Amino acid sequence: MLRPILWATLVAGTLDILFAFAIAGAVEPVLRTVASGPLGDAVADGPLGAPLGLLVHFAIMAAMVAAWFVAARFAPVLVRRWIAFGLLYGVALWLAMYWVVMPLRWESYVRPDEPLAIARQLFAHCVLVGLPIAWFAARRFKTRPGFN
């Protein structure tokens, strides 16, 4: 089961980070911000801040992917209705990141309130993250005899 988890992490993680770069119009500041989440500002501002940000991004994505694969293994409906549940997973990930994780990390964090910003964030989490993760899991588990 490791191979589809790695592929889902690579695809969803790449789509998500490229979208973030495009929206921000920059690469290094995005990666440094990602690194600063778990590692702190001092590390993120150092010479390895950007590479560490990329590593952190893919580590977080791997955790998101692994969680979905575990859930899909025990809840076949996630595989049968992968599109609907993949989109819902994207919403859940968005809520977790923007309403729990980021406010806990940054005291000055202001929750998104602009419709366009929210739409971009939801697009990234639902279409670029949730759907690819659900698709890879559906491909993996639909090939198991007796699973569906």
Side-chain angles (χ1 to χ4, degrees):
M1 185 160 66
L2 187 58
R3 183 177 290 192
I5 289 174
L6 291 174
W7 275 109
T9 299
L10 179 65
V11 170
T14 300
L15 291 172
D16 183 50
I17 200 70
L18 289 177
F19 187 75
F21 295 159
I23 293 302
V27 172
E28 191 169 333
V30 169
L31 293 175
R32 288 183 182 280
T33 299
V34 173
S36 74
L39 303 175
D41 295 333
V43 172
D45 292 339
L48 295 177
L52 287 172
L54 193 60
L55 184 65
V56 166
H57 170 74
F58 278 99
I60 292 168
M61 189 62 65
M64 293 173 177
V65 170
W68 182 263
F69 271 70
V70 168
R73 183 175 185 159
F74 294 103
V77 68
L78 299 178
V79 172
R80 286 193 304 271
R81 302 189 189 275
W82 68 269
I83 293 173
F85 283 106
L87 292 171
L88 286 173
Y89 190 51
V91 172
L93 294 174
W94 177 78
L95 287 169
M97 291 302 293
Y98 286 89
W99 289 82
V100 178
V101 173
M102 291 168 72
L104 286 174
R105 168 52 180 99
W106 291 283
E107 290 179 17
S108 62
Y109 176 75
V110 178
R111 288 185 175 97
D113 62 357
E114 295 177 26
L116 183 57
I118 293 170
R120 282 185 196 133
Q121 295 162 359
L122 284 170
F123 171 80
H125 282 81
C126 294
V127 176
L128 303 179
V129 176
L131 283 180
I133 291 171
W135 183 79
F136 276 99
R139 282 188 42 154
R140 164 62 175 97
F141 291 118
K142 280 187 177 180
T143 61
R144 289 181 54 205
F147 184 76
N148 291 329

